[in-house]
Amino acid sequence: MSTPRRIVVTDVQHPIGRHVLDALRDTSAVEFVGGLVTRAGRRADKGPDVETLPIAPDHRPFAAYLREHRIDTVVQCGLAPDRSGGRVGPEDVDVIGTMCAGAAVGNADAGIRSWVTLSSSSIYPIDSHASLLQREEDARAPDPEAPQAALAEAEDYARDVAIRHPHINVGVLRLQQLAGRGLSGSLAAVFEQDPVPSPIGFDPAIQLLHADDAAAAVTFAALHELAGVYNVASTGQIRWDAAMRVAGDRGAPVFPVGAWAFAPLMERLRLPHLPDDIVPLARFGQAIDTTKIERAGFRPKHDQTDCFDAIRAGRARARPARSAR
Amino acid sequence: MSVARHESPSAVEDRWGRTSEGHPEDGFFAAAYRSWFRVEWEGLENIPEDGGALLVSNHSGMMPVDGGLIQHGIQVERGRAVYMLAHHGFFRIPFMGRTLNRIGSVVAHPDNAHRLLAEDGRLVLVFPEGAKGPVKPASERYRLQRFGRGGFVETAMRAGVPIVPIALMGTEDSTPTAAQLNLGGQAMPITWNSLLLGPVLGAVAHLPVKIRARALPPIEFEGPSDSRSLLMDRAELVRGRMQDALDDLYRNRRSLWEG
């Protein structure tokens, strides 16, 4: 950390990429931080040192950028699905982008010391026999058709880069579902409904990651050149009912078994519903163990109450705007 | 616009979903414990006053109450909360999983057990016989079934905590098996309770048999170890001591009512 760092953040068209870029801009240990919009045509708040540069399918322009700007650390924010809304399919996981980023990073002339890539807690199974807190080694070989399979493939690729280029610290951060500062993953979106759907007969332990903690964790990983796989979540877990009391004015009981059949209609009618990708979470919950990154020295600033409070605050802000329209 | 603050949820339940240190069904369990089963303990001094320990007991009954009785008994007699490891299938059933969580049951997973024992320093109750205990035929009464693959020993060794075997006498007679059905390869006991009282009432009603519980001296194993045969040897040692205690309790029993 003694040498001022030169960092590039890719995929700043995603909200998480933009937050990470902003966090790194505020860090004194960073001499240069650039941002890349990696999808042509995507709008992003440009700001200083932000340019549009697709990193796939041809990695060479990205490798040239790394050389030209003497970048030593790459933070790639495009592997995890864009969880700003909607369902996640395998096509939402940017495996090819990750492979191209890895090819550019591994280029001998690039002079890269550290590559941080953002994965997702959705790589872990959600079922009744999972442990309360899932550890990094608990990720299973998933169904090849599932989005998790694409995540696992991309993570495997990053691991392979680390083996082939031992001088590069490759850090994979598995981010829990996001909330706060305008970010809302699929779980946060459920709690943004009014009333908040409450699964009848279940009260699982759930967990979110506040956008501030996400940006801070990525900054920490980049500056401390973390290597390996790390879970990232805000502190603790919370039961669904307790989260509902924090985030919502009122709850609406929803039967989670068979909810998939009615979800599209309920969504259209703007009635409280559980999207089918959330139903297993609403029955069995999911939380990840963050001991490993905490042992490395990172402490999140927010707890779960803060995360669900942020959802409540966001909804309170949105209400007058809606009523004004 | 001001946003109302809410009380932290951790004030009412712990991370395992348990709602309080006491048994939430205190009223029901207190009555069953004292007046119906008239539970008597021996060897309570073997339950550690603090720190983690893995409690291992024999399992029986169509609707097993042994876990609740041990949890309640140790809470009342020893002042310590006991967490029980339960089969994950219960947590798939609406209302069942959340109720179990609230009364101190946790999905039986090695990591959950490790966190409870090593990080939280809790007493954790496990039934190594699993489902084989409650469904065994009448001819196997008070004969311990196999103790799985010794996973409970591995859990204790990894967490560095002692194993405290607990022998329960009387639970098997509170729901005595009359016959056993085989439903698609799954053993299904038919109890005298359900023959006399019907399938619903008979499943929950237990005969007022006196229950004696004996906590045996703690067993400490050095570990951890990767040797499966060593784990099995140690599991068999625990099983042997429990079987000896059950045999002794059975020999000295005067009657079902008096224990």
Side-chain angles (χ1 to χ4, degrees), chain B residues 86-99:
Chain B
H87 192 272
H88 70 85
F90 292 120
F91 294 84
R92 302 187 74 84
I93 304 168
F95 300 104
M96 177 74 92
R98 66 190 289 179
T99 305

Side-chain angles (χ1 to χ4, degrees), chain A residues 177-194 196 206-210 243-244 246-249 304-319, chain B residues 3:
Chain A
Q177 298 224 27
L178 291 160
R181 295 204 179 277
L183 283 178
S184 66
S186 46
L187 178 60
V190 169
F191 281 83
E192 284 166 0
Q193 296 179 45
D194 185 15
V196 178
I206 51 175
Q207 194 181 45
L208 287 174
L209 169 60
H210 197 284
M244 215 171 63
V246 177
D249 295 328
Q304 296 305 312
T305 307
D306 294 338
C307 293
F308 286 91
D309 238 359
I311 294 173
R312 170 188 274 266
R315 197 173 38 190
R317 277 195 300 273
R319 242 185 234 137
Chain B
V3 175

